[in-house]
Amino acid sequence: MENYFVALNNINVNGKTEKKNSLTYLSWAWAWGEVKKLHPDATYTIYENEAGWNYHTDGRTCWVKTGVTVNGVEHIEYLPVMDFKNKSIPLDLVTSFDVNKAIQRSLTKAVARHGLGLYIYAGEDLPEEEKANEPVCICEACQNQISSVKKRDGEIWGVADIVGYSKRRFDRQLCPDCQKKALKEEQSK
Ligand SMILES: [Zn+2]
């Protein structure tokens, strides 16, 4: 069973991901289904605090702790409870919805440590904090949030630079994909 990681790592997760606020997530329900197919004895744990809450707090911010056990190995994952800008939500503003979302993401990340969809996290070029500090900008064409991209030379093209360039070049705030479309439209004129 030492190849269980490879087996999970080889599962194609394309089309099972969703992109939210510059972070890519794997669907937890789908990921867990795949794990259980190969490992019916796999289990997961949502760790409660001493009061029996499904999240933890230092009085200011909150986080969740989850663990996924596959093949007798448990991987534990801690994740802050974050808002749509990927910023920690203060304790007094946290809702059960926010906590549930954090739990699902945390579980999915714990599953990734067993191999399934690991590349999604390997592709996180920017540390979490840097991402959280990026401005939130919406593309005027597709209405999606603009996120930083990796250029062909491997450099990161940050959100502020993307927007600056787009406004100079197209007179509008466009995401890189819509910039490409705009260029094609220009050329076909
Ligand atoms: Zn766009």
Side-chain angles (χ1 to χ4, degrees):
M1 287 293 273
E2 67 266 26
N3 280 329
Y4 91 93
F5 178 93
V6 176
L8 284 172
N9 198 232
N10 281 343
I11 294 174
N12 187 349
V13 303
N14 289 344
K16 307 297 175 191
T17 60
E18 53 174 318
K19 228 176 151 60
K20 266 193 187 145
N21 313 316
S22 83
L23 296 181
T24 306
Y25 297 98
L26 195 58
S27 148
W28 160 244
W30 179 82
W32 187 239
E34 291 300 303
V35 168
K36 288 296 260 186
K37 265 191 234 165
L38 292 175
H39 302 276
D41 60 339
T43 57
Y44 67 88
T45 311
I46 297 159
Y47 287 92
E48 300 179 338
N49 73 355
E50 285 122 42
W53 304 353
N54 58 357
Y55 62 99
H56 305 256
T57 181
D58 55 10
R60 294 170 56 240
T61 59
C62 307
W63 63 93
V64 297
K65 178 184 178 185
T66 65
V68 169
T69 304
V70 180
N71 206 23
V73 179
E74 183 181 36
H75 284 305
I76 288 179
E77 196 63 45
Y78 297 85
L79 202 75
V81 180
M82 295 179 289
D83 65 12
F84 67 98
K85 293 177 187 171
N86 301 320
K87 281 207 151 106
S88 288
I89 304 173
L91 172 63
D92 53 343
L93 295 178
V94 162
T95 66
S96 57
F97 176 79
D98 301 322
V99 172
N100 282 332
K101 210 165 49 183
I103 286 172
Q104 291 204 358
R105 288 174 180 176
S106 172
L107 284 168
T108 310
K109 215 163 174 176
V111 160
R113 293 191 188 278
H114 289 284
L116 183 63
L118 184 61
Y119 82 88
I120 291 172
Y121 301 97
E124 285 185 355
D125 301 296
L126 296 171
E128 296 287 330
E129 245 172 86
E130 256 178 69
K131 279 185 179 164
N133 287 334
E134 284 209 321
V136 176
C137 300
I138 306 297
C139 171
E140 286 177 42
C142 67
Q143 306 298 323
N144 285 320
Q145 189 179 333
I146 300 172
S147 45
S148 54
V149 291
K150 208 174 188 174
K151 291 192 285 189
R152 244 174 250 162
D153 60 7
E155 258 200 65
I156 302 293
W157 196 20
V159 173
D161 290 338
I162 292 172
V163 169
Y165 169 80
S166 178
K167 283 186 174 159
R168 286 194 305 274
R169 179 65 181 75
F170 302 101
D171 216 24
R172 282 191 299 161
Q173 181 171 306
L174 300 176
C175 72
D177 282 345
C178 291
Q179 288 182 20
K180 274 181 214 158
K181 279 182 212 155
L183 274 178
K184 269 191 193 151
E185 273 172 29
E186 277 182 14
Q187 283 160 1
S188 65
K189 266 177 198 163

